[in-house]
Amino acid sequence: MDGLQTAKTMACYSSAPALTAFLAEAFGTFALAFVVFALTSDQNKQAQGLFIPPIIIGSAVALIIAVIGPLSGASLNPARELGPRLILKLFGWSSAVAFKQLGLYAGAAVLGAVSGGFVVDKFLYAKEDNDNLGGSYDGRP
């Protein structure tokens, strides 16, 4: 086995085209961040005090891994990628092997998580900006 083949046992290396892996990781992280932010938001009055959100989040992680795992390995987290790659480097793999595709996985995760949080904040739990209405509008006709 060459170095890359054994490195694949510890970290995610996609054999799919880079764009496919990037889009899969970005979508997966977007979906996970969307679910987590939507369920744990202070504005989500229905889920407060219930044990249901952890079950839904765990189910979402399982579903996301089942869908994007075959395409990219389903890293979903830059820290999950960096740790194994540092161990690979520590135990003698070259930097070219150990850190190959790290930018793809880290960049996709950051883009997906920020996008998921943005959608929840700006669209799902958006509040009307009363300051722009020029007064103290209370919503009554």
Side-chain angles (χ1 to χ4, degrees):
M1 266 198 206
D2 67 343
L4 186 56
Q5 291 297 84
T6 57
K8 286 181 179 183
T9 63
M10 291 184 66
C12 289
Y13 291 90
S14 176
S15 55
L19 182 60
T20 302
F22 182 87
L23 292 175
E25 286 293 319
F27 173 75
T29 309
F30 169 85
L32 180 58
F34 181 87
V35 168
V36 170
F37 290 139
L39 288 172
T40 60
S41 173
D42 289 338
Q43 295 173 329
N44 186 348
K45 303 299 182 204
Q46 292 83 10
Q48 288 180 353
L50 297 177
F51 187 68
I52 294 171
I55 295 168
I56 294 172
I57 292 169
S59 299
V61 169
L63 180 63
I64 292 165
I65 290 171
V67 171
I68 72 166
L71 295 172
S72 63
S75 171
L76 305 176
N77 185 344
R80 184 258 176 257
E81 275 305 301
L82 186 58
R85 292 171 191 274
L86 291 173
I87 296 298
L88 286 170
K89 181 62 179 154
L90 181 71
F91 283 102
W93 276 264
S94 70
S95 291
V97 170
F99 297 109
K100 183 178 178 141
Q101 295 184 340
L102 177 62
L104 178 145
Y105 285 97
V110 169
L111 176 68
V114 169
S115 300
F118 177 80
V119 169
V120 168
D121 189 45
K122 296 298 180 189
F123 298 107
L124 188 61
Y125 293 121
K127 291 183 180 179
E128 227 177 89
D129 188 4
N130 291 336
D131 294 337
N132 291 335
L133 297 175
S136 59
Y137 177 70
D138 63 359
R140 290 183 273 181

